[in-house]
Structure formats: C-alpha cells, structure tokens
Amino acid sequence: MIARPGRCVVMGILNVTPDSFSDGGAHDTVGAAVAHGRGMVAAGADYVDVGGESTRPGAARVDAAEECRRVLPVVAELSRLGIAVSIDTTRSQVAAAALAAGAVMVNDVSGGLADPAMARVVADAGVPWVLVHWRGHSSDMYAAAGYDDVVADVRRELCRRVDGALVAGVSPDRLVLDPGLGFAKQPEHDLALLAGLADIGDLGFPLLVGASRKRFLNAVLETADGRARTPLERDSATLATTVLAARAGAWGVRVHDVAGSADAVRVVAAVGR
Ligand code: PMM
C-alpha cells in the first residue's frame, strides 16, 4: 500500500535540468540540488521528486546517459540522508538506475507509454508508480490537446494505462494516477480537470496533482501592468490548487514552493476532521 499520513502528501520538485520552465538551471551542481532537496524536506515535503529532463512545452529531449548523469548523484545523496526520493523519468533505464541508487517511487509523466520496458522495471522493484495522463512528448504536445469531455477522456485514458500496468504484473496497490495538468491540455482543460478531480478519484487509486506554477494559472491571473505572470509569481495561485486538490481527496500535490502547500494540506486535513 502507498502511505497515507491522514492528509494530502507534499512532493517537492527538484529539477536538475538547465531548461525547466520554473527552476531550470537553479540546481545545476549536486551540492546545490541536494541542499534544495533538504530544504524542501525541512519545509514539510514528504517526497523529493528528482527529474533530469525538462517536460516544458517544446523542450528538446536529452539522452538517457545525460539524464542519469544529472539525477543519479542527487538521488543517491538524498536517499543516503534518509529522504524519500521519487524519480521523474519516462525511461526505464533511468528509473532502474535511480531505484538502485535509493529512489522509492517512479513518477512517469508518460504513464508508461514512452518506454514499454518501464512496467517491468516497476513490477520487479515493487515500488509505487505514478501514471500521468500524457499524449506525446513535449515537442508537439499541444497538437494533441483535443477532447470531447476532458474529465471523461482523461479518466478513460488513465484506465487504459492502469490496464497496461496490471497486465505487465504491477500490483494495483502500487499505482498512483495523475491527470497531467499542462500535458496536451489547454488552460480550460486544466481548470476542468481541477474541478473534476473527484470523478477521477472515483477510480479508486490515489491521485497526484501537479499544478505548480503552470502556465494555465495565467489564464485567470492578472498583473497591474497587464503582462503575464512569471512562474515564480504563480505560487499563491498554486496554493489555491493545493487546497482544491486536498479538498477533493487527492493523495498528493507536486509543488515547487513546499512551505505554503505543507501548511495548506494540514489546514485542509484539520477542517476535514
Ligand atoms: N509536471 C511536470 C513534471 N513532472 N509529474 C507529475 N506526476 N505530474 C505533473 O503534473 C508533472 C510531473 C512538469 O512541470 P515541472 O517542469 O515543474 O517539473
């Protein structure tokens, strides 16, 4: 079973990439990345999610060797410090190496679609696997952003990902589902999915929600001078999404600014009790 501490869990984002949309280049030495991971745990993170390939819209791919070079020393050191690390990758080779280095969860934004060997790695390791709703790599993902009813369509496609995982031998109690906000979605789709989280939660799997600092928040935010908010200026809006996710019964939220969400999920849990 996946741990449920009586409140929504907080996963802190640690992108060791030069080009992620919000924190790209901010943690590009092992020391800086580990310090940031420790800081997020001190601020209340239950997991640190380490990623070495940007999934920003339009991002170019890096090869597996470069992804490993970026993430493995960070995963190994955080794990050595007793921190629960999830590895954010779509590649089985990177996932296997990160699990060997101490990671305890695989966060796969492709929901197992990008690499058919991922299911076997996860099944053999017996670790939790986050299956994210996805329709293709970042280079052209907006071309696939067409839905009849986004909540029903995402729900149905996630069911297929679950079926694939089960057929490959992954235990159902190891699966976490994620609607994949921003992945092949326009802002109206992301907002509808946030409103419809309970419908996806009805599938009976824990839900993870990754809204942090995403572009869709700008669709509802304003600045005095009419410009778009920068990612760093979207943390208050992100907190609102944390509250919505926690109220809808989500298992966890994946966020950059851990301190705010760690407080918010505790308040929501207390009110729920
Ligand atoms: N979003 C990003 C990366 N990894 N993982 C999960 N489970 N859910 C998400 O929504 C998600 C993810 C892209 O955002 P980032 O550049 O801030 O990491």
Side-chain angles (χ1 to χ4, degrees), residues 55-78:
T55 49
R56 175 178 56 82
R61 300 214 65 196
V62 295
D63 64 25
E66 172 62 13
E67 204 182 327
C68 282
R69 190 193 65 75
R70 292 176 182 178
V71 297
L72 293 183
V74 179
V75 171
E77 181 59 10
L78 290 174

Side-chain angles (χ1 to χ4, degrees), residues 39-120:
M40 289 195 292
V41 171
D46 302 285
Y47 293 88
V48 172
D49 188 43
V50 179
E53 181 176 52
S54 173
T55 49
R56 175 178 56 82
R61 300 214 65 196
V62 295
D63 64 25
E66 172 62 13
E67 204 182 327
C68 282
R69 190 193 65 75
R70 292 176 182 178
V71 297
L72 293 183
V74 179
V75 171
E77 181 59 10
L78 290 174
S79 302
R80 196 187 64 77
L81 292 167
I83 292 171
V85 173
S86 74
I87 177 68
D88 184 348
T89 186
T90 61
R91 288 192 169 104
S92 60
Q93 182 188 336
V94 177
L99 293 170
V104 297
M105 182 184 300
V106 174
N107 174 28
D108 178 352
V109 301
S110 82
L113 283 173
D115 183 345
M118 184 67 101
R120 183 98 311 270

Side-chain angles (χ1 to χ4, degrees), residues 13 15 20-23 49 55-56 88 107 109 130 132 178 180-181 183 208-212 214 254 256:
I13 301 172
N15 286 318
S20 285
F21 78 95
S22 166
D23 53 353
D49 188 43
T55 49
R56 175 178 56 82
D88 184 348
N107 174 28
V109 301
V130 183
V132 181
D178 183 323
L181 302 180
F183 290 98
L208 178 64
V209 177
S212 189
K214 284 188 177 168
R254 179 182 178 277
H256 299 88

